[in-house]
Amino acid sequence: MRVKRKPVAVVAVVVLLGAFGLLFVTRSFSGGIKLPHLGPECTVRADGEVTLDAVQMANAATISAVGVRRKMPEQAIVVALATALQESKLENLDTGDRDSVGLFQQRPSQGWGSEEQIQDPRYAAEKFYRALKKVKNWQKMRVTEAAQKVQRSAYPNAYEKWVDESEVLARALTGRATSAVECTVSGEPALRGAAAVKALAQGFALDWGVDANRLTDLTVTVKDPHAGWRYAHWLVAHAKSTGLERVRFADREWTAPDGKWQPVTGERRVGNDAVVAEVFR
Protein backbone atom coordinates (compact mmCIF):
# COMPACT_ATOMS: atom_id res chain seq x y z
CA MET A 1 0.00 0.00 0.00
CA ARG A 2 1.19 3.52 -0.71
CA VAL A 3 -0.08 6.82 0.63
CA LYS A 4 0.99 10.19 -0.73
CA ARG A 5 1.72 12.93 1.76
CA LYS A 6 4.04 15.92 1.79
CA PRO A 7 7.39 15.18 0.12
CA VAL A 8 9.57 12.91 2.25
CA ALA A 9 12.81 11.12 1.57
CA VAL A 10 12.11 7.50 0.70
CA VAL A 11 14.25 4.41 0.40
CA ALA A 12 12.96 1.52 -1.73
CA VAL A 13 13.97 -1.98 -0.70
CA VAL A 14 13.64 -4.87 -3.13
CA VAL A 15 13.32 -8.35 -1.69
CA LEU A 16 13.67 -11.46 -3.81
CA LEU A 17 11.06 -14.10 -3.00
CA GLY A 18 12.37 -16.99 -5.08
CA ALA A 19 9.73 -18.35 -7.42
CA PHE A 20 7.27 -15.68 -6.35
CA GLY A 21 9.29 -12.94 -8.01
CA LEU A 22 9.90 -9.47 -6.59
CA LEU A 23 8.12 -7.82 -3.70
CA PHE A 24 8.58 -4.08 -3.27
CA VAL A 25 8.50 -2.57 0.20
CA THR A 26 8.74 1.17 0.82
CA ARG A 27 10.05 2.62 4.09
CA SER A 28 9.91 6.35 4.82
CA PHE A 29 12.30 8.09 7.21
CA SER A 30 9.27 8.94 9.36
CA GLY A 31 9.37 5.29 10.46
CA GLY A 32 6.30 3.87 8.73
CA ILE A 33 6.54 0.66 6.73
CA LYS A 34 4.21 0.70 3.75
CA LEU A 35 2.29 -2.34 2.65
CA PRO A 36 3.61 -4.51 -0.18
CA HIS A 37 1.51 -4.77 -3.30
CA LEU A 38 1.54 -7.51 -5.91
CA GLY A 39 -0.58 -8.03 -8.99
CA PRO A 40 -3.66 -5.94 -9.77
CA GLU A 41 -3.61 -2.67 -7.91
CA CYS A 42 -6.36 -0.44 -6.54
CA THR A 43 -5.82 3.26 -5.97
CA VAL A 44 -7.95 5.33 -3.61
CA ARG A 45 -7.83 9.13 -3.90
CA ALA A 46 -9.72 11.18 -1.33
CA ASP A 47 -7.66 14.09 0.02
CA GLY A 48 -4.69 11.74 -0.09
CA GLU A 49 -3.77 8.62 -2.02
CA VAL A 50 -3.54 4.98 -0.95
CA THR A 51 -2.83 1.88 -3.03
CA LEU A 52 -3.88 -1.65 -2.09
CA ASP A 53 -3.97 -4.98 -3.84
CA ALA A 54 -7.38 -6.37 -4.80
CA VAL A 55 -7.78 -8.55 -1.70
CA GLN A 56 -6.89 -5.73 0.68
CA MET A 57 -9.26 -3.38 -1.14
CA ALA A 58 -12.18 -5.80 -0.93
CA ASN A 59 -11.60 -6.33 2.80
CA ALA A 60 -11.41 -2.58 3.42
CA ALA A 61 -14.70 -2.11 1.55
CA THR A 62 -16.36 -4.85 3.60
CA ILE A 63 -15.18 -3.35 6.90
CA SER A 64 -16.56 0.03 5.83
CA ALA A 65 -19.87 -1.41 4.61
CA VAL A 66 -20.45 -3.23 7.90
CA GLY A 67 -19.77 0.01 9.77
CA VAL A 68 -22.20 1.99 7.62
CA ARG A 69 -24.82 -0.76 7.98
CA ARG A 70 -24.46 -0.59 11.76
CA LYS A 71 -24.88 3.19 11.57
CA MET A 72 -21.44 3.74 13.07
CA PRO A 73 -19.89 7.18 12.51
CA GLU A 74 -17.08 7.56 10.02
CA GLN A 75 -14.54 7.83 12.84
CA ALA A 76 -15.44 4.28 13.90
CA ILE A 77 -14.63 3.08 10.40
CA VAL A 78 -11.29 4.88 10.59
CA VAL A 79 -10.53 3.08 13.87
CA ALA A 80 -11.55 -0.28 12.40
CA LEU A 81 -9.46 0.18 9.27
CA ALA A 82 -6.41 1.34 11.23
CA THR A 83 -6.76 -1.72 13.46
CA ALA A 84 -7.01 -4.13 10.53
CA LEU A 85 -4.08 -2.48 8.77
CA GLN A 86 -1.91 -2.95 11.84
CA GLU A 87 -3.09 -6.42 12.79
CA SER A 88 -3.25 -8.10 9.38
CA LYS A 89 -2.41 -5.55 6.66
CA LEU A 90 -6.04 -6.07 5.58
CA GLU A 91 -5.41 -9.75 4.85
CA ASN A 92 -7.77 -12.39 6.25
CA LEU A 93 -5.02 -14.37 7.98
CA ASP A 94 -5.51 -17.98 9.09
CA THR A 95 -2.79 -17.71 11.73
CA GLY A 96 -1.18 -15.23 14.10
CA ASP A 97 0.07 -14.76 17.64
CA ARG A 98 -1.13 -17.73 19.70
CA ASP A 99 -4.67 -18.46 18.42
CA SER A 100 -5.24 -15.11 16.67
CA VAL A 101 -6.82 -15.22 13.21
CA GLY A 102 -8.57 -12.99 10.70
CA LEU A 103 -8.50 -9.32 9.77
CA PHE A 104 -8.41 -8.10 13.36
CA GLN A 105 -6.40 -11.03 14.76
CA GLN A 106 -9.22 -11.88 17.17
CA ARG A 107 -8.76 -14.89 19.43
CA PRO A 108 -11.29 -17.71 19.90
CA SER A 109 -9.89 -18.30 23.39
CA GLN A 110 -10.78 -14.72 24.33
CA GLY A 111 -14.44 -15.03 23.42
CA TRP A 112 -14.42 -13.47 19.94
CA GLY A 113 -16.06 -16.52 18.38
CA SER A 114 -14.95 -19.71 16.68
CA GLU A 115 -11.99 -19.70 14.31
CA GLU A 116 -14.37 -20.21 11.39
CA GLN A 117 -16.55 -17.28 12.47
CA ILE A 118 -13.63 -14.91 12.98
CA GLN A 119 -12.31 -15.68 9.50
CA ASP A 120 -15.54 -14.34 8.03
CA PRO A 121 -14.63 -10.66 7.42
CA ARG A 122 -18.20 -9.53 8.04
CA TYR A 123 -18.46 -11.36 11.35
CA ALA A 124 -15.04 -10.06 12.44
CA ALA A 125 -15.97 -6.47 11.58
CA GLU A 126 -19.31 -6.80 13.38
CA LYS A 127 -17.56 -8.03 16.52
CA PHE A 128 -15.04 -5.20 16.36
CA TYR A 129 -17.71 -2.51 16.06
CA ARG A 130 -19.74 -4.03 18.88
CA ALA A 131 -16.72 -3.98 21.15
CA LEU A 132 -15.79 -0.42 20.12
CA LYS A 133 -19.32 0.81 20.81
CA LYS A 134 -18.98 -0.41 24.41
CA VAL A 135 -15.88 1.72 25.00
CA LYS A 136 -16.91 4.81 26.92
CA ASN A 137 -16.10 8.08 25.10
CA TRP A 138 -14.19 6.30 22.34
CA GLN A 139 -15.11 9.14 19.96
CA LYS A 140 -12.97 11.56 21.99
CA MET A 141 -9.92 9.30 21.97
CA ARG A 142 -7.05 9.17 19.53
CA VAL A 143 -7.48 6.38 17.00
CA THR A 144 -4.74 4.29 18.59
CA GLU A 145 -6.29 4.67 22.05
CA ALA A 146 -9.75 3.61 20.87
CA ALA A 147 -8.29 0.66 18.97
CA GLN A 148 -6.25 -0.42 21.98
CA LYS A 149 -9.32 -0.42 24.23
CA VAL A 150 -10.75 -3.10 21.93
CA GLN A 151 -7.61 -5.02 21.00
CA ARG A 152 -5.54 -4.88 24.22
CA SER A 153 -2.38 -5.20 22.17
CA ALA A 154 1.16 -5.48 23.49
CA TYR A 155 1.92 -2.50 21.20
CA PRO A 156 -0.76 0.06 22.17
CA ASN A 157 0.54 2.90 20.00
CA ALA A 158 1.02 0.88 16.82
CA TYR A 159 -2.37 1.77 15.35
CA GLU A 160 -1.64 5.48 15.12
CA LYS A 161 0.70 5.14 12.14
CA TRP A 162 -2.23 3.99 9.98
CA VAL A 163 -4.51 6.96 10.67
CA ASP A 164 -3.76 8.88 7.45
CA GLU A 165 -4.34 5.83 5.27
CA SER A 166 -7.51 4.90 7.14
CA GLU A 167 -8.98 8.38 6.80
CA VAL A 168 -8.42 8.34 3.04
CA LEU A 169 -10.08 4.92 2.75
CA ALA A 170 -12.99 5.89 4.99
CA ARG A 171 -13.71 9.10 3.06
CA ALA A 172 -13.90 7.13 -0.17
CA LEU A 173 -15.74 4.04 1.06
CA THR A 174 -18.42 5.99 2.93
CA GLY A 175 -19.20 7.87 -0.27
CA ARG A 176 -17.88 11.29 0.69
CA ALA A 177 -15.49 11.29 -2.27
CA THR A 178 -16.41 11.03 -5.95
CA SER A 179 -14.77 8.53 -8.35
CA ALA A 180 -12.31 7.77 -5.57
CA VAL A 181 -11.78 3.98 -5.79
CA GLU A 182 -10.13 2.76 -9.00
CA CYS A 183 -9.10 -0.86 -9.51
CA THR A 184 -7.60 -2.37 -12.63
CA VAL A 185 -8.61 -5.98 -13.32
CA SER A 186 -6.66 -7.71 -16.07
CA GLY A 187 -6.61 -11.21 -17.47
CA GLU A 188 -9.45 -13.73 -17.53
CA PRO A 189 -12.40 -12.77 -15.28
CA ALA A 190 -12.84 -14.85 -12.13
CA LEU A 191 -16.50 -15.43 -13.06
CA ARG A 192 -18.82 -14.76 -15.95
CA GLY A 193 -22.53 -14.51 -16.62
CA ALA A 194 -24.99 -15.95 -14.10
CA ALA A 195 -22.21 -17.06 -11.73
CA ALA A 196 -20.82 -13.52 -11.65
CA VAL A 197 -24.27 -12.03 -11.04
CA LYS A 198 -24.88 -14.47 -8.19
CA ALA A 199 -21.53 -13.80 -6.51
CA LEU A 200 -21.96 -10.05 -6.81
CA ALA A 201 -25.52 -10.10 -5.44
CA GLN A 202 -24.65 -12.41 -2.53
CA GLY A 203 -21.60 -10.39 -1.50
CA PHE A 204 -23.56 -7.15 -1.73
CA ALA A 205 -26.38 -8.57 0.39
CA LEU A 206 -24.04 -9.89 3.09
CA ASP A 207 -22.02 -6.70 3.40
CA TRP A 208 -24.92 -4.26 3.31
CA GLY A 209 -27.54 -6.41 5.03
CA VAL A 210 -30.08 -6.27 2.22
CA ASP A 211 -32.02 -8.81 0.16
CA ALA A 212 -29.80 -10.37 -2.49
CA ASN A 213 -32.56 -9.78 -5.02
CA ARG A 214 -31.85 -6.07 -4.75
CA LEU A 215 -28.88 -6.53 -7.07
CA THR A 216 -29.95 -9.48 -9.20
CA ASP A 217 -30.72 -7.11 -12.06
CA LEU A 218 -27.34 -5.45 -11.35
CA THR A 219 -28.99 -2.14 -10.49
CA VAL A 220 -29.32 -0.63 -7.02
CA THR A 221 -31.44 2.45 -6.39
CA VAL A 222 -30.05 5.15 -4.08
CA LYS A 223 -31.43 8.18 -2.27
CA ASP A 224 -28.48 10.52 -2.67
CA PRO A 225 -25.01 10.80 -4.27
CA HIS A 226 -23.21 9.75 -1.08
CA ALA A 227 -25.08 6.45 -1.05
CA GLY A 228 -24.46 6.06 -4.76
CA TRP A 229 -20.71 6.46 -4.46
CA ARG A 230 -20.69 4.24 -1.39
CA TYR A 231 -22.16 1.37 -3.44
CA ALA A 232 -20.20 2.20 -6.60
CA HIS A 233 -16.92 2.11 -4.73
CA TRP A 234 -17.88 -1.13 -2.99
CA LEU A 235 -18.58 -2.72 -6.39
CA VAL A 236 -15.23 -1.65 -7.82
CA ALA A 237 -13.45 -2.86 -4.68
CA HIS A 238 -14.92 -6.35 -5.19
CA ALA A 239 -14.50 -6.44 -8.97
CA LYS A 240 -11.63 -8.92 -9.17
CA SER A 241 -13.39 -11.77 -7.34
CA THR A 242 -16.86 -11.25 -8.83
CA GLY A 243 -16.34 -10.88 -12.56
CA LEU A 244 -17.49 -7.26 -12.59
CA GLU A 245 -16.79 -5.52 -15.89
CA ARG A 246 -18.40 -2.10 -15.61
CA VAL A 247 -20.03 0.29 -13.09
CA ARG A 248 -21.99 3.41 -13.94
CA PHE A 249 -23.22 6.13 -11.62
CA ALA A 250 -24.25 9.72 -12.35
CA ASP A 251 -22.01 10.94 -15.18
CA ARG A 252 -19.14 8.54 -14.52
CA GLU A 253 -18.27 5.03 -15.68
CA TRP A 254 -15.62 2.56 -14.47
CA THR A 255 -14.42 -0.39 -16.57
CA ALA A 256 -12.29 -3.33 -15.40
CA PRO A 257 -9.46 -3.37 -17.98
CA ASP A 258 -8.99 0.41 -17.87
CA GLY A 259 -9.59 0.70 -14.12
CA LYS A 260 -10.46 4.40 -14.28
CA TRP A 261 -13.61 6.43 -13.76
CA GLN A 262 -14.37 8.30 -16.98
CA PRO A 263 -17.08 10.87 -17.80
CA VAL A 264 -20.03 9.63 -19.87
CA THR A 265 -22.84 11.46 -21.59
CA GLY A 266 -26.04 10.69 -23.46
CA GLU A 267 -27.67 7.29 -23.06
CA ARG A 268 -24.85 5.91 -20.91
CA ARG A 269 -25.47 8.52 -18.22
CA VAL A 270 -27.63 6.93 -15.50
CA GLY A 271 -28.32 9.85 -13.16
CA ASN A 272 -27.96 10.11 -9.39
CA ASP A 273 -30.70 7.69 -8.34
CA ALA A 274 -29.24 4.33 -9.40
CA VAL A 275 -25.92 2.51 -9.60
CA VAL A 276 -25.72 0.14 -12.59
CA ALA A 277 -23.26 -2.76 -12.77
CA GLU A 278 -22.35 -5.11 -15.62
CA VAL A 279 -20.50 -8.42 -15.39
CA PHE A 280 -18.42 -10.21 -18.01
CA ARG A 281 -20.61 -12.40 -20.21
Coordinates of all heavy atoms in Angstrom, one line a residue, residues 9 67-68 252:
A9 N 11.8 12.0 2.1 CA 12.8 11.1 1.6 C 12.4 9.7 1.7 O 11.9 9.3 2.8 CB 14.1 11.4 2.3
G67 N -19.7 -1.2 8.9 CA -19.8 0.0 9.8 C -20.9 0.9 9.4 O -21.7 1.4 10.2
V68 N -21.1 1.2 8.1 CA -22.2 2.0 7.6 C -23.5 1.3 7.9 O -24.5 1.9 8.4 CB -22.1 2.2 6.1 CG1 -23.3 2.9 5.6 CG2 -20.8 3.1 5.8
R252 N -20.4 9.2 -14.5 CA -19.1 8.5 -14.5 C -19.3 7.0 -14.8 O -20.3 6.4 -14.5 CB -18.4 8.7 -13.2 CG -18.0 10.1 -12.9 CD -16.8 10.5 -13.7 NE -16.2 11.8 -13.4 CZ -16.7 13.0 -13.8 NH1 -17.7 13.0 -14.7 NH2 -16.1 14.1 -13.5

